[in-house]
Amino acid sequence: MASAPVADETAASGADVRYVYRFGGGVSDGGKGDRNLLGGKGANLAEMASIGLPVPPGFTISTAMCGRYYAEGQRFPESLKAEVADGIAHIEGITGKRFGDAADPLLVSVRSGARASMPGMMDTVLNLGLNDETVAGLATASGDARFAWDSYRRFIHMYSDVVLGLDHGAFEEALEIAKEDKGFTLDTELSAADWEALVGQYKVIVEEQWGKPFPQDVHEQLWGAVGAVFGSWQSERAKVYRRLNDIPGDWGTAVNVQAMVFGNMGDTSATGVAFTRDPATGERAYYGEFLINAQGEDVVAGIRTPQYLTRAAREAAGARLASMEEAMPEVYAELAKVFDLLETHYRDMQDIEFTVQQGTLWMLQTRSGKRTAKAALKIAVDMAEEGLITQEEAVARVDPAALDQLLHPTLDPDAPRDVVAKGLPASPGAASGIAIFDADTAEKRAELGHAVILVRVETSPEDIHGMHAAKGILTARGGMTSHAAVVARGMGRPCVSGVGSLAIDAGARLFRVGGREVKEGETITIDGSTGELMIGEVATVEPELAGDFGTLMVWADKVRRLKVRANAETPKDCQTARSFGAEGVGLCRTEHMFFDAGRITAVRQMILAEDEKGRRAALAKLLPEQRSDFAEIFEIMAGLPVTIRLLDPPLHEFLPHAEEEFEEVAEAAGVGVEALKRRAAELHEFNPMLGHRGCRLGVTYPEIYEMQARAIFEAAIEVAEKTGEAPIPEVMVPLVATRRELELMKAVIDAAAEAVFAEKGRRLEYLVGTMIELPRAALKAGEIAELAEFFSFGTNDLTQTTLGVSRDDAGRFLTAYVDKGIYAKDPFVSLDVEGVGELIRIGAERGRKTREKLKLGICGEHGGDPASIAFCEATGLDYVSASPYRVPIARLAAAQAALKQG
Ligand code: ADP
Ligand code: MG
Ligand code: MG
């Protein structure tokens, strides 16, 4: 695993290590935000406090304690007690209130906060410090009994859920019944007495479920919450989130204890979340939602429909309730200033939580905001143009992997569509799939290969695996900052949220909308860019690199050293690759051409031939077909290098199966069916991946490679004559282990070239090289490079042959291997830099020692993986080759790798 575990180091060094860092009131023990130690939330709270923003005072227990807490069997060291007591004293000193004071109690929140933000994945407890005595003090001191009892019921509910692990459904039910009894729909309609009565019921629920009364000792409450928040680091959903986002398990979370401020103190109080720019489109406009007379989670929980922050947004949405700009103009103006200050300070778009307590603004969180790929591009390009960041910083900021979202087809604007409802455009992109109503089923159906749209009233962190498995997410409730919206944007899944007219009957597994009914398994389409919900499937169009995307690519190309090619073998793929900026073809496989319906019979005739003569007869039929394949590709890639790999797969893959297939081949070859079947049986292999394949085919049947080489050169000359631009064929011999193999094959290729050149009266530049995909080839690269003019590291097979793992069979155990940290990531997705990478380094070094100008590249899935690309840059390869749709990702990743390399 990466990164030294901070926690272990500190644990080893004993009790004199400091774990508690205070912030607020002019104090900032953590200095300027060390996020590894304080977690993102703690670091930014300290930093906001230190630049003079209104932050409720508090302290952070560092991430180092998280590791120690687990190392010591989920217990805290004795020394922490005094440190925490000091922290509490710090808050008491600034607020003038005392923790546990019956007359005027200090209340705190206990908040999680890891190094990387994991929104909603870990726990937080608010209003801690309330008990049967302090609630009365709070009522008297604030002069607002409704507020005091509202806070107490919130606290019991949250504490019971997070710390005591009780079933939160029971609390919600009691609240619903209390409202129903009174005929209320909103929580805010309940009076002090109503809340007090509910608190009584809550306490009964706690005793029933927990077997003990709700803890009244505020210190017991505090330590319970601190333990629970550290404990939430190892919750199932946090683990899943970490796995999906590559966050190491040993980072740990910090715990922040902070004075409460109250957005639930009446109509001059509010709570809200905001982004300094639009996280969906990147537009430079404040963006956010708030709720009057509410607390913390209310906005994101989708309990009430939140109000817009700005007047413009409210008007655009045609919403009735006043925006914050209209309802609280002074606080809004102050908030807007804070937004600008934070953007300039952090030089990035910020995602902010704030609370207004009786007209006073308090900042509770800031972090770099999650954004869609589209927004990431726009924000990076805009900020560079605004002069806030440099072009290189803009290039470094956009996550290449996220571009994937933009490189897929979108709904064809001209295609007919059956729109049945409109919700909020919560996460852009379009998706069609079958409607599924729960996360587990979504995951199961996705595993079976179905495109799934997860349809929920609203999502919660328990749905995360289903959201990940789904192609898109649709919710009936929740705003633009709801759980569904935030998580979908982070995952790059299209999402339409808050479709008010959607009536979901999860029990009956159907939903009704606009007088129509859709059952589970029926196809629907959502457009997360417009908020539209459609029944049925809608046609799509190809993406293009325009606007901000195009601009950023130009900036990326300025700093990029590695060339980017595409793995492409059909004219369509080659076209796509070129339009995405590919600088040639790094891998053109020839076998798919053999599977073509019009040719397979000739291919089978070749394979099943008894002798060379029979094979040549069949190959003669294939030659013109291969030639026209290559001509088309050369034409599209005119002027660019094209690496063509000679036939590679085990021959039996092409064998006939059905009776009529045998009959067809028998007729074409003029032999009997029985003889053919006997020959087919002879071709059986026990382990085809290590069998008669790759250059072993060329060694045993040189006429196959001879035909392919001839087709390549004939096509190249044809295109050179037709277009005036000679292609540069790079003929690649697969699965070479020894110098001698390449020597034999190179002789066949060179002879074919000479023959064609003589016939056509024209010569052509070409290269002969090999794929390095066996460990022996990497080790003997020095010798092989005497003949090879290029190496292409075939990292799919090189990973299989180095690890001794068959990719097709790895599914059964590879997840366990990654979970247990044996491999940091799936080695077929991200290069095993330590093992396979070392062979590549050896191959590159030894090859170049023999032949200084040896061209080096990689093909295989890894060519489109940013981490693997960084390795290729560091190793000094000349190019990477990726699938056509990943070419822009590779261009950006290569630019970032070059920037890092310096
Ligand atoms: P998360 O990481 O899930 O957002 P937070 O720790 O940020 O969890 O807290 C959850 C909610 O409670 C947020 O809306 C936050 O603004 C609010 N909150 C946290 N601490 C306080 C506090 N001291 N006073 C008022 N609200 C708070
Ligand atoms: Mg939260
Ligand atoms: Mg938060």
Side-chain angles (χ1 to χ4, degrees):
M1 277 263 129
S3 89
V6 181
D8 292 355
E9 272 167 30
T10 343
S13 56
D16 32 303
V17 183
R18 167 175 206 167
Y19 291 108
V20 168
Y21 297 82
R22 301 166 302 165
F23 58 83
V27 175
S28 178
D29 293 334
K32 267 224 145 189
D34 176 355
R35 52 185 305 134
N36 292 359
L37 189 66
L38 303 178
K41 198 179 285 168
N44 289 341
L45 283 169
E47 196 162 340
M48 281 200 291
S50 72
I51 59 173
L53 293 177
V55 175
F59 60 89
T60 302
I61 311 175
S62 75
T63 55
M65 180 49 73
C66 191
R68 183 154 178 197
Y69 174 68
Y70 283 105
E72 294 181 8
Q74 312 209 18
R75 269 193 306 271
F76 294 109
E78 204 44 44
S79 64
L80 190 64
K81 294 235 168 74
E83 280 195 77
V84 166
D86 275 355
I88 293 286
H90 162 71
I91 306 178
E92 289 175 336
I94 294 165
T95 57
K97 296 176 195 295
R98 298 226 346 272
F99 191 51
D101 182 2
D104 185 11
L106 166 69
L107 304 191
V108 296
S109 62
V110 179
R111 319 172 63 186
S112 55
R115 217 193 277 191
S117 103
M118 299 169 58
M121 287 304 124
M122 285 178 302
D123 289 329
T124 283
V125 179
L126 303 181
N127 307 305
L128 189 139
L130 280 172
N131 57 28
D132 295 349
E133 264 182 19
T134 57
V135 69
L138 184 65
T140 317
S142 65
D144 186 347
R146 192 208 65 88
F147 149 72
W149 286 100
D150 174 39
S151 302
Y152 195 19
R153 66 92 191 176
R154 287 172 183 273
F155 173 54
I156 298 177
H157 182 170
M158 219 170 188
Y159 195 90
S160 303
D161 176 18
V162 169
V163 183
L164 306 181
L166 308 184
D167 168 30
H168 58 96
F171 297 92
E172 271 149 30
E173 214 167 282
L175 171 58
E176 283 308 311
I177 292 170
K179 282 197 285 187
E180 254 167 48
D181 285 351
K182 297 267 170 177
F184 295 153
T185 50
L186 294 177
D187 293 3
T188 41
E189 291 172 295
L190 295 179
S191 68
D194 296 331
W195 288 128
E196 186 173 351
L198 192 68
V199 163
Q201 291 180 32
Y202 276 11
K203 288 200 293 191
V204 173
I205 296 175
V206 171
E207 242 191 291
E208 273 171 12
Q209 287 196 21
W210 195 45
K212 279 185 279 184
F214 187 79
Q216 294 290 314
D217 177 345
V218 296
H219 294 282
E220 182 190 339
Q221 292 175 357
L222 179 64
W223 286 100
V226 170
V229 172
F230 277 131
S232 66
W233 177 253
Q234 296 294 10
S235 68
E236 270 322 300
R237 65 186 196 216
K239 285 190 207 162
V240 170
Y241 187 91
R242 284 200 289 276
R243 195 162 59 228
L244 296 176
N245 292 279
D246 289 332
I247 298 173
D250 58 12
W251 278 6
T253 182
V255 172
N256 303 286
V257 178
Q258 188 177 27
M260 281 300 297
V261 287
F262 301 100
N264 55 335
M265 286 185 90
D267 288 344
T268 56
S269 300
T271 180
V273 296
F275 293 84
T276 54
R277 302 189 189 211
D278 188 323
T281 64
E283 220 67 53
R284 193 176 185 184
Y286 306 135
Y287 176 94
E289 293 169 331
F290 82 117
L291 270 177
I292 290 177
N293 198 8
Q295 198 175 61
E297 307 277 70
D298 295 1
V299 180
V300 283
I303 293 171
R304 276 192 272 154
T305 303
Q307 292 156 247
Y308 288 93
L309 214 57
T310 66
R311 180 174 168 175
R314 178 186 67 76
E315 283 172 353
R320 192 178 43 83
L321 288 175
S323 66
M324 184 171 178
E325 189 174 3
E326 294 156 300
M328 303 181 159
E330 276 123 59
V331 193
Y332 173 80
E334 199 187 334
L335 186 62
K337 270 199 215 123
V338 172
F339 289 169
D340 293 349
L341 200 130
L342 286 174
E343 256 207 9
T344 324
H345 183 76
Y346 287 101
R347 302 166 71 242
D348 196 7
M349 186 266 266
Q350 296 295 296
D351 167 358
I352 289 157
E353 291 174 4
F354 63 90
T355 281
V356 179
Q357 177 175 329
Q358 298 188 312
T360 303
L361 175 69
W362 293 98
M363 300 306 298
L364 289 169
Q365 193 170 334
T366 192
R367 60 184 172 211
S368 282
K370 292 214 186 294
R371 60 204 80 181
T372 62
K374 185 173 169 216
L377 285 168
K378 178 157 178 57
I379 291 170
V381 170
D382 282 356
M383 285 190 168
E385 282 168 357
E386 287 158 23
L388 196 59
I389 59 175
T390 63
Q391 284 185 5
E392 293 190 351
E393 281 175 297
V395 167
R397 260 192 202 177
V398 177
D399 173 15
L403 295 181
D404 199 29
Q405 288 176 39
L406 303 177
L407 294 168
H408 291 289
T410 49
L411 292 188
D412 178 353
D414 298 326
R417 56 185 75 186
D418 180 8
V419 180
V420 286
K422 208 167 163 181
L424 298 170
S427 177
S432 294
I434 54 173
I436 294 292
F437 297 95
D438 69 281
D440 291 342
T441 312
E443 195 176 54
K444 279 191 206 113
R445 297 296 291 266
E447 272 167 16
L448 294 175
H450 296 276
V452 168
I453 307 288
L454 181 63
V455 184
R456 305 280 291 155
V457 173
E458 59 201 335
T459 62
S460 75
E462 279 79 40
D463 292 327
I464 188 139
H465 59 294
M467 299 174 76
H468 193 256
K471 291 269 184 266
I473 295 136
L474 171 66
T475 71
R477 272 202 254 161
M480 295 291 284
T481 52
S482 64
H483 179 266
V486 171
V487 174
R489 284 198 292 268
M491 286 182 176
R493 297 288 181 281
C495 174
V496 171
S497 70
V499 183
S501 59
L502 195 67
I504 300 175
D505 186 342
R509 307 219 152 242
L510 56 81
F511 69 74
R512 292 191 187 85
V513 66
R516 311 268 292 273
E517 196 176 279
V518 172
K519 294 201 186 65
E520 181 166 274
E522 290 180 4
T523 300
I524 57 172
T525 298
I526 57 168
D527 187 341
S529 314
T530 62
E532 285 174 334
L533 165 62
M534 290 142 278
I535 293 185
E537 200 167 332
V538 180
T540 54
V541 289
E542 292 295 309
E544 51 180 333
L545 297 191
D548 299 316
F549 202 162
T551 307
L552 196 86
M553 282 294 134
V554 171
W555 296 350
D557 287 349
K558 281 193 208 162
V559 295
R560 175 163 63 87
R561 183 194 64 82
L562 276 172
K563 296 260 185 218
V564 175
R565 299 196 195 178
N567 299 343
E569 51 217 12
T570 65
K572 181 170 171 288
D573 280 353
C574 290
Q575 215 99 49
T576 307
R578 262 214 109 148
S579 72
F580 284 157
E583 297 161 296
V585 170
L587 177 63
C588 171
R589 303 177 180 88
T590 49
E591 45 269 20
H592 91 278
M593 303 166 170
F594 280 42
F595 278 113
D596 192 288
R599 308 173 187 174
I600 188 70
T601 303
V603 173
R604 287 172 175 159
Q605 181 187 342
M606 168 193 80
I607 294 167
L608 295 172
E610 297 281 353
D611 52 19
E612 181 181 336
K613 183 158 156 281
R615 265 191 302 279
R616 283 195 183 274
L619 284 165
K621 296 185 202 166
L622 289 170
L623 175 68
E625 308 271 8
Q626 282 264 281
R627 186 171 55 223
S628 73
D629 291 332
F630 295 142
E632 260 186 294
I633 291 171
F634 286 145
E635 230 180 298
I636 297 166
M637 288 287 158
L640 296 175
V642 176
T643 306
I644 296 172
R645 180 178 72 186
L646 301 180
L647 196 65
D648 179 52
L651 288 182
H652 78 95
E653 283 189 17
F654 299 103
L655 287 182
H657 302 285
E659 190 64 27
E660 62 273 19
E661 289 172 345
F662 275 106
E663 279 163 16
E664 248 174 68
V665 179
E667 191 180 329
V671 295
V673 170
E674 284 318 308
L676 276 184
K677 286 192 176 159
R678 210 179 324 111
R679 178 87 179 110
E682 281 166 25
L683 284 171
H684 171 79
E685 289 182 306
F686 289 103
N687 196 346
M689 190 191 83
L690 301 175
H692 193 185
R693 57 165 288 211
C695 69
R696 298 160 199 174
L697 295 172
V699 168
T700 46
Y701 308 137
E703 52 281 3
I704 299 179
Y705 279 12
E706 183 193 317
M707 179 281 286
Q708 290 196 295
R710 173 169 273 277
I712 292 170
F713 294 117
E714 287 180 359
I717 288 186
E718 191 182 305
V719 170
E721 276 168 2
K722 184 168 157 198
T723 65
E725 251 187 308
I728 312 162
E730 299 183 348
V731 185
M732 180 153 78
V733 182
L735 213 74
V736 162
T738 69
R739 182 187 186 280
R740 178 70 179 146
E741 283 169 317
L742 186 61
E743 188 175 37
L744 290 170
M745 294 303 98
K746 185 167 158 41
V748 171
I749 296 160
D750 287 340
E754 288 309 323
V756 173
F757 296 163
E759 285 160 30
K760 306 279 174 188
R762 171 172 186 156
R763 303 191 67 82
L764 194 76
E765 192 193 328
Y766 70 95
L767 304 180
V768 177
T770 177
M771 206 139 163
I772 302 287
E773 50 192 332
L774 295 174
R776 189 184 198 284
L779 296 172
K780 303 306 284 178
E783 252 173 59
I784 293 173
E786 287 165 16
L787 300 164
E789 295 165 284
F790 67 87
F791 284 170
S792 175
F793 292 95
T795 50
N796 290 351
D797 269 337
L798 189 58
T799 300
Q800 298 201 87
T801 54
T802 302
L803 272 48
V805 168
S806 142
R807 179 166 64 162
D808 299 331
D809 301 310
R812 303 221 179 106
F813 57 85
L814 210 51
T815 321
Y817 264 57
V818 173
D819 281 349
K820 294 190 195 303
I822 297 171
Y823 293 118
K825 288 191 205 165
D826 178 343
F828 292 105
V829 173
S830 200
L831 196 71
D832 160 35
V833 168
E834 282 173 34
V836 178
E838 178 155 4
L839 279 172
I840 295 177
R841 260 193 305 268
I842 290 172
E845 256 169 45
R846 295 186 184 169
R848 282 217 168 121
K849 206 164 163 207
T850 303
R851 187 187 290 263
E852 203 189 324
K853 291 260 150 22
L854 183 70
K855 224 192 232 192
L856 298 175
I858 76 160
C859 55
E861 302 310 292
H862 303 103
D865 168 62
S868 311
I869 292 171
F871 167 83
C872 295
E873 170 68 33
T875 312
L877 301 195
D878 296 302
Y879 70 86
V880 296
S881 189
S883 74
Y885 283 104
R886 293 192 76 85
V887 165
I889 296 173
R891 284 164 70 192
L892 182 58
Q896 293 182 350
L899 286 174
K900 264 208 207 99
Q901 207 65 24

